Amino acid sequence: MLLELEKRKQPSRAMLYLTPVISVLLTMIAGATIFSVLGYDGPGAVWAIFFVPVLDIGAWQDLGIKAAPLILIATGLSIGFRANVWNIGAEGQYVMGGLAGTGIALATWEMEGWWILPAMCLAGAIGGALYAAIPAFLKTKLNVSEILSSLMLTYVSIQLLYFLMRGPWKDPEGFNFPQSRMFSDSQLLPEIGDTFVHLGVPLAFIVAVIAWYVLSKTVFGFEIRVVGAAPNAARYGGFNRKRTIWLALLAGGGFAGFAGILEAAGPYGQMVPQFPTGYGFTAIIVAFLGRLHPAGIVLGALILAISYVGGEIAQSSIGLPNAASGLFQAMMLFFLLATDILVTYRLRFSGARSGGAA
Amino acid sequence: MTEAILISILVTVVGAATPILLAGLGELVVEKSGVLNLGVEGMMLVGAVTGFAVTTMTGVTFVGIVAAALAAAGASMIFGYLTLTLTANQVATGLALTIFGIGLSSLMGAGFVGQTVERIGPLFPPALAEHEHLRVLFGYDPVVYFSFAMTLAVAWFLRRTRAGLILRAVGENDVSAHSIGYSVISVRYMAVAFGGAMAGIGGCYYSLVLTPMWAEKLTAGRGWIALALVVFSAWRPMRLLAGAYLFGVVMTLELHAKAAGFEYVPPEFLAAMPYLATIVVLALISMRKSVGSQAPACLGQPFKPST
């Protein structure tokens, strides 16, 4: 008996929502198997990575803090992916946003005022957007692949970070450690209530709601979707492809930069060489897992946040290497891309060749 | 500058160029068949860690290199299955392969961090390899000569063989190639496997020759430079060879600057140079209007035979 694929008359909405769930489940099964083969406690690893962080209420604050930058970056990226603009340099835009905001923080050192933090956030978003403007310019003017240019710029931004930390922006009272001064109270994101959840976490959720509104209810959102799905129709409709590329990259960079300064002014409280943590790349998985939809992205970001927090738990509890969570995240994307075919095709057991059997 | 310094600079340039040449050649063949595999960096890392682990366990470098090629080709088959059989998006799947390669290699290599292997020695006997002048020609390890041989082989294959013609036909017009009876999907599977194997050998050049040890993310984005190199080469093997050596010079600027006594250029700037140079080179190439788009016409398009 063979499995065959049969084209559906129209894409299945049910599968569109179900396949992300299926891929997470398949990841757990495959993960448990692989880790058992490698000599670890496989089921224990899956339990620690995916379930312990959810069952432990103490870990929820961590989940929110980890999910916030992923929500922001993935929302920005999804705008580009919808328009077929492949900005994969969000990591660099995140770093540049963090650096731009840190620049304001260092310039306003020993100052006080309510305006400092908003100015830092604005600088972060602008810094990220400007950095994304480089691939946008190269793409629209010279047709340089935004995939390669945005990624190359990520490596450049990391070197700039190292340079600033070791040189001009090094904390003069930092015992020669390569890191910036600690941010002052006017430069730090306030924490909410008795928790250690910073203001950036609710902000990220609010931004996702705004993005949902803009993408689904405005002409801009419609233009983005049309340019991505049907470039020719978009031309007839008077939508300008170049403008869409610019908007998509500026939005992606701006969101990533905003996430960067929220991290610097939130969990880090200063700028450090360890600032690039791969959120920019993980956000690509989040964007796909969330089906490029803000609501899905929030859920996707929470799942990836669970795998991050769980990875740390598994590291301390059963000695699983830190790389394990990265592997789980990659497998999730593989399974999602593989099961995507179920949206447009249905599985059929061949043998019964009569047309209606499905 | 003395001759000795020039020769030692040349040796470092060859070292930097060889892995991106190998990975680039593999990707060139993949792209000629109409497939865009952005997973080069991930496949190189899988090759790097496998080559190191197997060499450590068997004590035979050659076995390590073969294992690296096989492991990376195996990883590329995940990409092949998703994009060719299941017609998944090639860009997204390639990115997934890179993320997967980073995670898998870190996990596999966790037990090998800090260990070293004996690096591969020169291919030719010491009389030639260590000769004052002749070592410019004969002083390299076997992988370097392999990379030259493969450049010629790929150029010959694509231009002069029937199989190469079929591969190019599949990349330029998959529908026509299919209609005259060629199996587009099998040709592309073979190309993707070859690309994986070459990326694997390129990757293990880092862990077995350049820094005979394993460290996380050892390839440091060179896989992406190999991808850019293919664009730079306009999908021509001999230009790819020239490009790889050009990039080799840029990538070793940091070392040259030290040797030449430059101290006022920040090292971070020199470390960023290969990536900046890649962007500049891509921009310059795109500026030349006469070139047009030389990319294979079906690059990145999924093929669904309408039966």
Side-chain angles (χ1 to χ4, degrees):
Chain A
M1 191 169 61
L2 277 165
L3 277 173
E4 263 187 12
L5 288 168
E6 183 185 62
K7 186 136 188 158
R8 292 178 194 272
K9 288 194 183 70
Q10 57 193 47
S12 157
R13 278 192 85 76
M15 276 300 163
L16 201 61
Y17 299 127
L18 213 58
T19 44
V21 180
I22 295 174
S23 24
V24 173
L25 292 175
L26 286 174
T27 303
M28 291 183 189
I29 297 168
T33 315
I34 291 176
F35 284 92
S36 300
V37 170
L38 289 174
Y40 298 97
D41 171 10
V46 170
W47 180 257
I49 288 183
F50 286 101
F51 293 96
V52 174
V54 186
L55 297 174
D56 174 11
I57 295 172
W60 286 12
Q61 298 184 22
D62 263 339
L63 292 184
I65 292 169
K66 286 272 194 302
L70 293 174
I71 291 173
L72 283 173
I73 303 172
T75 303
L77 291 181
S78 70
I79 297 171
F81 293 169
R82 277 166 184 245
N84 247 329
V85 177
W86 296 94
N87 171 16
I88 60 169
E91 182 78 3
Q93 293 141 21
Y94 163 88
V95 170
M96 291 307 262
L99 286 177
T102 302
I104 299 287
L106 295 179
T108 57
W109 191 61
E110 285 188 321
M111 282 191 214
E112 277 176 42
W114 62 267
W115 53 273
I116 293 179
L117 198 57
M120 285 166 61
C121 290
L122 191 66
I126 292 174
L130 283 180
Y131 209 49
I134 302 172
F137 173 82
L138 292 171
K139 174 81 176 180
T140 51
K141 290 281 176 229
L142 302 171
N143 208 22
V144 173
S145 155
E146 76 280 15
I147 297 174
L148 291 173
S149 62
S150 66
L151 192 95
M152 293 294 143
L153 286 171
T154 297
Y155 291 98
V156 175
S157 70
I158 290 171
Q159 292 301 329
L160 178 68
L161 167 71
Y162 291 166
F163 169 71
L164 290 172
M165 292 301 105
R166 288 176 197 148
W169 286 5
K170 187 159 82 173
D171 182 359
E173 289 139 39
F175 303 100
N176 216 20
F177 279 109
Q179 55 192 29
S180 80
R181 288 180 188 278
M182 299 292 290
F183 292 178
S184 64
D185 284 347
S186 299
Q187 300 163 345
L188 289 170
L189 286 169
E191 285 164 0
I192 294 160
D194 299 336
T195 67
F196 52 93
V197 175
H198 59 83
L199 187 64
V201 177
L203 268 179
F205 284 88
I206 293 168
V207 166
V209 173
I210 296 172
W212 165 79
Y213 179 81
V214 170
L215 285 175
S216 56
K217 306 283 178 204
T218 66
V219 179
F220 169 67
F222 181 66
E223 177 173 341
I224 289 279
R225 269 178 293 156
V226 173
V227 170
N232 291 328
R235 228 179 4 254
Y236 285 119
F239 295 145
N240 182 337
R241 187 175 141 69
K242 285 189 176 175
R243 188 178 65 202
T244 312
I245 292 172
W246 271 100
L247 285 174
L249 276 159
L250 290 181
F255 278 60
F258 185 50
I261 187 55
L262 290 184
E263 282 297 287
Y268 286 97
Q270 67 184 135
M271 184 49 76
V272 292
Q274 299 82 33
F275 191 67
T277 42
Y279 283 141
F281 297 107
T282 309
I284 296 171
I285 304 179
V286 171
F288 281 107
L289 209 60
R291 291 278 176 219
L292 309 183
H293 187 285
I297 284 171
V298 169
L299 289 175
L302 283 171
I303 291 170
L304 270 292
I306 289 170
S307 76
Y308 267 122
V309 176
E312 283 163 19
I313 294 171
Q315 199 177 2
S316 57
S317 65
I318 58 174
L320 204 66
N322 199 20
S325 49
L327 199 61
F328 273 100
Q329 293 168 2
M331 280 198 291
M332 247 183 258
L333 184 49
F334 272 147
F335 281 122
L336 183 75
L337 293 164
T339 51
D340 252 358
I341 197 164
L342 296 174
V343 176
T344 42
Y345 288 81
R346 71 174 87 233
L347 282 177
R348 193 181 63 167
F349 295 103
S350 71
R353 272 255 164 221
S354 57
Chain B
M1 228 185 291
T2 67
E3 193 185 315
I5 291 180
L6 276 177
I7 290 178
S8 71
I9 285 179
L10 185 67
V11 171
T12 58
V13 170
V14 171
T18 300
I20 58 168
L21 171 59
L22 288 166
L25 275 173
E27 180 67 14
L28 187 145
V29 172
V30 175
E31 293 192 10
K32 271 285 181 191
S33 82
V35 179
L36 178 67
N37 184 357
L38 294 180
V40 178
E41 175 83 358
M43 298 189 296
M44 285 179 92
L45 281 168
V46 168
V49 74
T50 309
F52 187 84
V54 172
T55 303
T56 308
M57 289 186 292
T58 61
V60 187
T61 316
F62 180 71
V63 180
I65 296 176
V66 172
L70 290 176
S76 80
M77 284 296 96
I78 304 175
F79 171 87
Y81 182 71
L82 289 178
T83 57
L84 301 176
T85 301
L86 300 180
T87 62
N89 180 305
Q90 292 179 9
V91 174
T93 312
L95 291 175
L97 181 58
T98 286
I99 299 172
F100 178 75
I102 293 171
L104 183 69
S105 62
S106 304
L107 189 69
M108 284 170 62
F112 293 100
V113 174
Q115 292 189 29
T116 53
V117 290
E118 200 185 333
R119 64 174 279 177
I120 310 173
L123 176 67
F124 293 102
L128 288 171
E130 287 163 24
H131 185 276
E132 195 182 342
H133 302 293
L134 291 178
R135 79 184 182 103
V136 176
L137 283 177
F138 298 107
Y140 309 104
D141 57 85
V143 184
V144 171
Y145 298 103
F146 173 75
S147 71
F148 295 146
M150 284 310 287
T151 310
L152 293 173
V154 167
W156 171 78
F157 170 82
L158 289 175
R159 276 272 149 236
R160 301 258 177 261
T161 68
R162 194 179 154 71
L165 182 72
I166 296 170
L167 182 114
R168 283 187 287 138
V170 163
E172 290 297 340
N173 195 335
D174 47 16
V175 177
S176 302
H178 176 72
S179 66
I180 54 174
Y182 296 122
S183 172
V184 172
I185 300 297
S186 352
V187 169
R188 290 186 173 169
Y189 259 114
M190 283 186 275
V192 167
F194 175 76
M198 293 292 277
I201 300 173
C204 75
Y205 198 72
Y206 286 99
S207 59
L208 295 178
V209 181
L210 291 179
T211 52
M213 53 168 241
W214 168 252
E216 274 193 25
K217 298 183 194 168
L218 189 64
T219 51
R222 305 294 197 239
W224 295 100
I225 291 187
L227 275 160
L229 195 57
V230 178
V231 181
F232 170 84
S233 74
W235 293 266
R236 286 187 216 142
M238 297 317 280
R239 256 180 80 167
L240 188 89
L241 177 78
Y245 278 79
L246 204 66
F247 273 97
V249 172
V250 179
M251 283 191 263
T252 49
L253 273 182
E254 208 175 336
L255 294 167
H256 306 172
K258 262 183 208 143
F262 284 117
E263 274 158 17
Y264 39 83
V265 183
E268 293 88 0
F269 177 76
L270 294 171
M273 275 303 287
Y275 309 105
L276 282 171
T278 305
I279 297 173
V280 171
V281 162
L282 287 176
L284 287 177
I285 287 178
S286 317
M287 259 151 77
R288 286 200 333 210
K289 291 206 176 68
S290 62
V291 177
S293 174
Q294 287 153 328
C298 297
L299 187 62
Q301 309 291 330
F303 177 69
K304 291 171 194 164
S306 49
T307 42

